[in-house]
């Protein structure tokens, strides 16, 4: 399965395409950061996110998109921009016909480390280990996108295991 993980933001939207051939093996296919600046109009910032994300989806053909839910403890002034970026991401996913799943930060941390309150460095070490990276991933928005994609792959695996065990 190939998953596009997205950490939404108006200024920085992190994205990562992660693939799993089997439940024990994950590989990072591509990752990056979509940047917009306050010098751009809001419409052009949102259009840029949409255009770039559409291109990423066309290029990588993910089976699903995993998106981080908004975490309301962030600065209040960033919540509006993040919400607007999320709206564009949801629209882009719908237009592409790609299924979408959403995960809150605590679920992502639990899926990767077993601890819903894991620190940033713990998450980055786990991402590095699972994706066999030479160093912890940077910047944070891209690392978060990788974590969201891995969370989806791991959560989907356990859901399938539960379904199989229930059918036995």
């Amino acid at each position: 399965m190939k998953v596009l993980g997205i950490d939404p933001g108006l200024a920085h939207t992190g994205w990562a395409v992660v693939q799993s051939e089997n439940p024990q093996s994950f590989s990072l296919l591509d990752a990056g950061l979509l940047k917009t600046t306050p010098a751009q109009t809001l419409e052009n910032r949102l259009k840029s996110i949409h255009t770039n994300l559409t291109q990423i989806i066309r290029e990588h053909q993910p089976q699903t998109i995993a998106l981080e839910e908004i975490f309301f403890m962030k600065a209040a002034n960033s919540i509006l921009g993040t919400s607007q970026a999320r709206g564009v991401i949801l629209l882009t996913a719908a237009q592409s016909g790609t299924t979408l799943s959403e995960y809150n930060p605590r679920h992502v941390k639990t899926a990767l480390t077993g601890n819903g309150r894991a620190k940033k460095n713990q998450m980055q070490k786990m991402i590095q280990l699972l994706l066999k990276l030479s160093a912890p991933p940077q910047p944070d928005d891209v690392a978060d996108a990788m974590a969201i994609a891995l969370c989806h792959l791991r959560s989907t695996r356990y859901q399938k295991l539960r379904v199989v065990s229930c059918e036995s």
Side-chain angles (χ1 to χ4, degrees):
M1 175 181 273
K2 193 186 303 183
V3 176
L4 171 59
I6 302 174
D7 179 40
L10 183 58
H12 298 119
T13 293
W15 63 273
V17 180
V18 177
Q19 185 167 318
S20 178
E21 294 297 330
N22 65 60
Q24 304 301 322
S25 176
F26 305 100
S27 56
L28 177 64
L29 301 180
D30 201 358
L33 190 63
L34 305 179
K35 293 182 184 181
T36 68
T37 67
Q40 297 171 278
T41 64
L42 176 61
E43 310 84 73
N44 285 331
R45 293 175 88 177
L46 297 172
K47 180 181 176 185
S48 175
I49 292 168
H50 172 71
T51 302
N52 286 298
L53 206 50
T54 298
Q55 180 58 38
I56 291 164
I57 292 168
R58 278 191 196 128
E59 181 180 338
H60 292 286
Q61 300 287 306
Q63 278 90 4
T64 191
I65 295 171
L67 178 64
E68 184 178 62
E69 291 178 348
I70 293 177
F71 181 58
F72 287 104
M73 297 305 279
K74 290 182 178 178
N77 61 348
S78 71
I79 290 173
L80 181 59
T82 300
S83 296
Q84 291 167 323
R86 277 186 95 255
V88 166
I89 293 164
L90 293 168
L91 172 64
T92 305
Q95 286 178 333
S96 73
T98 308
T99 61
L100 183 126
S101 297
E102 298 179 63
Y103 298 95
N104 67 52
R106 185 169 286 189
H107 183 94
V108 174
K109 291 176 181 183
T110 301
L112 266 63
T113 68
N115 177 3
R117 295 187 175 179
K119 302 288 183 211
K120 184 69 71 177
N121 65 334
Q122 293 172 299
M123 291 293 292
Q124 289 176 329
K125 284 291 189 184
M126 186 56 81
I127 295 164
Q128 180 184 2
L129 178 70
L130 290 171
L131 294 175
K132 300 170 188 73
L133 303 174
S134 59
Q138 292 291 330
D140 288 346
D141 301 296
V142 175
D144 290 349
M146 291 176 193
I148 294 158
L150 286 165
C151 170
H152 179 79
L153 289 166
R154 295 185 94 183
S155 296
T156 302
R157 174 180 175 243
Y158 291 120
Q159 289 170 355
K160 287 179 184 174
L161 286 175
R162 276 188 261 145
V163 169
V164 169
S165 66
C166 292
E167 293 174 356
S168 301

